[in-house]
Amino acid sequence: MFRYSEKYFSEPNTPCNSPPRSPRGPTLGVWSITARRFNFVIGLIVTFVVAYTLFLSFSLHKVRRPTYLTASSIPFNSTYIPNAPFQPPEAFSYRFSDTIDTFASYKYRNTCNISSLDLHAPFAPLCPDRKTMVTAMSSGGRIGHDAPYMPRGCDMRWFTSEEICEILSRFEKVIIVGDSMMRHVIGSINVLIRKDLGYGAVTDWNFSQEERKECFCNYQFNVKACSIQGIYKTADVVKNDPDSLSCQADTVDVMIEQMIRFPIPSEELSRFRSLLPPTKPRRPYAFIFGHGLWNDLDLQATLDWLDLILETSIVQAPWLQPGGPGGKRGRASNGFWPRLFLTPNAAGKEKPDEWIVSQGNKALMLFEEAVGVEAGRRGVEHLGTWNMSVQSNKFDGV
C-alpha cells in the first residue's frame, strides 16, 4: 500500500523547469506531429475536462441543464453502426462542434498547424453525469502513439469558445491553485477564450519583437523562457487587451494562485485568503487544485497541502460548506462548492535517471491512485492525467 512519509521539505530541482529539448526548426510555426505539437494535448484536453466538469457541476440545478441531459430517455442515435468498436457521435446540434476543427477561426491556426481533431476523436455516447465523465476521462487513452485522445466508455463534449465563456460565466470566480502544470491549464484556458493559438496564453500586448519570436505557438508554454509572460488572471486581459476575449469582459474571472510546496508559505496563504469574500457572492466559486512533483510525489505532503487549503477556505468563507451562513432570507447555505484535483501527467522518455524512482511512471501511477481515494474522502473530485498523456510526446521530453 502507500507509505506516508514526512519529507515535507523536499525541494527537488524538478525537471519541469528544464528547458525544452525538442530541436527548434529554422522557421517558426512549421509544425509536424512531434513533441512540439502535442504539448497542447495535456493542457487543452485537461481544460476541456475542467470545463465539462464545471458544466455538469450544475446537475442539481435542472433549469440550467441542456435538454440532452434532462430528457427521460436518450434519443435514438441514427448514426449507430452495428458491431463497430466505437459509435460515431450522435447527429444532434449539440455535438456538431465535436466533429469539426473548432480552431479553424483561431489566430495563427495555419501557422501553428494544429486542429482540435488532432486532440480528441469524438464518439457516442456522451457521459451522462459528472462522476461518470471524470472516471471516463481519467481512464481514457489513445489508439496508437500521439493519436487523438478518447475517454473510456463514454465521451466528453468539445466546446466552442463561446460555450466555454458561458460555462465560466456561471461562476463568480474560478480559482486554480497549484504548480507548473496548473500554469499550463490556465494558459490553455486563455488560448481558448482568446481564440489565439499563437499568443493566447501570454501577455503579447507588451511583447518586444524578440519575445514574439521566443514565445510563439507551443513555445508560449516554455517554463524557462516565457512563464513570466504568462497570463495568470483574465482581469489582466480585460484591462490590457479586452478585444481579444471571446467572452463578455465583465462575466468571466479565472485566475491562478501558485502554491507549489508544503509547508505553504504564510504570504501565499494570505494571498489565497484575500480571494475569498466572507459573505456569499451572487454566483458560486469553483476551485481546481494540482500538486505533486514539487514535493517529490510525497502523498502525505500533498494531502496536508490540500487539507490546509480546504481548511483555510472554510475559515475565510464559511458559506462554502453546508449549513454555513449565506443562504436566502438568512437561512443556512446549501454549500455548493465545486472542487477538482488534478494529478501530474505521465513521465516522458527523457526524464532524467535521477528522477525515475521518485517521479517516474510507477511513482506517478501510485500517487494518482492514492490521491483519487484520499480526495474522494474529502469531497473533492479527482481527475487523473496519466492515461491521457502516457502515449503522447512531451514538449520537453520529461
Side-chain angles (χ1 to χ4, degrees):
M1 293 301 289
F2 308 102
R3 182 173 60 86
Y4 286 34
S5 68
E6 301 294 332
K7 299 189 297 178
Y8 289 158
F9 290 94
S10 166
E11 299 181 9
N13 183 15
T14 171
C16 287
N17 283 331
S18 58
R21 299 169 189 264
S22 301
R24 193 168 184 172
T27 304
L28 277 171
V30 181
W31 288 29
S32 59
I33 303 182
T34 65
R36 290 187 294 168
R37 187 171 189 169
F38 279 89
N39 186 51
F40 274 102
V41 172
I42 296 171
L44 289 177
I45 289 292
V46 167
T47 298
F48 272 90
V49 180
V50 168
Y52 202 41
T53 303
L54 295 176
F55 174 63
L56 295 177
S57 291
F58 282 79
S59 59
L60 297 178
H61 302 263
K62 190 171 183 178
V63 68
R64 291 182 176 267
R65 302 185 77 199
T67 304
Y68 64 87
L69 289 178
T70 58
S72 57
S73 60
I74 299 175
F76 172 71
N77 182 6
S78 60
T79 62
Y80 180 81
I81 302 175
N83 303 318
F86 294 98
Q87 294 299 325
E90 299 88 342
F92 301 125
S93 58
Y94 57 82
R95 298 229 62 184
F96 178 67
S97 61
D98 300 357
T99 62
I100 63 172
D101 177 17
T102 57
F103 297 161
S105 62
Y106 281 30
K107 293 179 182 178
Y108 306 106
R109 160 61 180 86
N110 293 333
T111 310
C112 296
N113 189 24
I114 184 170
S115 164
S116 63
L117 297 175
D118 291 335
L119 307 183
H120 168 243
F123 65 97
L126 279 177
C127 295
D129 53 55
R130 191 171 68 249
K131 181 178 180 180
T132 304
M133 186 274 298
V134 172
T135 300
M137 296 297 294
S138 299
S139 307
R142 308 167 192 280
I143 306 176
H145 193 74
D146 278 345
Y149 169 76
M150 301 178 72
R152 181 179 180 182
C154 59
D155 200 12
M156 56 179 273
R157 280 286 318 279
W158 190 272
F159 295 111
T160 64
S161 293
E162 290 72 20
E163 288 175 317
I164 293 173
C165 289
E166 194 278 329
I167 292 167
L168 295 175
S169 71
R170 298 178 182 184
F171 298 89
E172 194 76 24
K173 191 185 292 287
V174 177
I175 302 176
I176 300 171
V177 184
D179 53 20
S180 55
M181 177 178 175
M182 307 312 289
R183 288 202 305 268
H184 291 322
V185 171
I186 194 169
S188 298
I189 290 175
N190 286 315
V191 166
L192 295 169
I193 64 177
R194 298 181 73 200
K195 291 188 174 182
D196 188 342
L197 292 172
Y199 299 108
V202 289
T203 60
D204 59 311
W205 55 79
N206 60 11
F207 270 13
S208 66
Q209 197 62 33
E210 185 63 25
E211 287 171 325
R212 295 190 71 82
K213 293 178 181 179
E214 291 297 322
C215 301
F216 184 58
C217 286
N218 208 73
Y219 288 97
Q220 62 190 301
F221 292 94
N222 185 336
V223 174
K224 283 288 187 182
C226 302
S227 63
I228 193 171
Q229 290 95 346
I231 299 172
Y232 296 146
K233 52 184 177 181
T234 52
D236 288 341
V237 184
V238 173
K239 178 181 177 181
N240 295 285
D241 192 13
D243 292 339
S244 71
L245 278 175
S246 300
C247 313
Q248 186 176 329
D250 59 348
T251 61
V252 172
D253 189 359
V254 183
M255 56 88 61
I256 184 172
E257 185 61 50
Q258 295 188 77
M259 305 168 75
I260 62 178
R261 296 186 182 91
F262 189 84
I264 303 174
S266 58
E267 61 271 18
E268 293 182 3
L269 279 176
S270 296
R271 288 200 306 266
F272 180 69
R273 290 190 191 96
S274 70
L275 303 175
L276 304 174
T279 57
K280 186 178 180 180
R282 183 173 59 88
R283 295 172 294 174
Y285 275 43
F287 297 80
I288 306 165
F289 307 114
H291 188 261
L293 289 177
W294 280 89
N295 274 104
D296 255 351
L297 302 180
D298 184 332
L299 178 60
Q300 189 61 56
T302 292
L303 296 179
D304 288 344
W305 176 90
L306 178 60
D307 287 340
L308 181 55
I309 293 174
L310 296 177
E311 179 184 343
T312 301
S313 301
I314 289 296
V315 171
Q316 180 67 24
W319 46 268
L320 286 169
Q321 63 181 341
K328 293 182 178 179
R329 299 178 183 177
R331 290 178 289 189
S333 170
N334 60 9
F336 182 53
W337 189 8
R339 292 161 292 171
L340 179 69
F341 195 107
L342 273 61
T343 40
N345 56 274
K349 60 186 178 182
E350 293 186 39
K351 173 79 74 173
D353 290 347
E354 60 265 34
W355 302 111
I356 291 297
V357 174
S358 62
Q359 297 184 11
N361 281 320
K362 179 179 179 179
L364 287 163
M365 294 169 70
L366 292 172
F367 181 78
E368 178 172 292
E369 182 179 345
V371 169
V373 172
E374 294 294 341
R377 291 173 179 169
R378 291 158 172 79
V380 178
E381 292 176 298
H382 167 250
L383 173 68
T385 66
W386 192 89
N387 274 313
M388 71 173 63
S389 55
V390 67
Q391 278 192 294
S392 66
N393 280 312
K394 312 301 186 296
F395 177 55
D396 57 3
V398 301

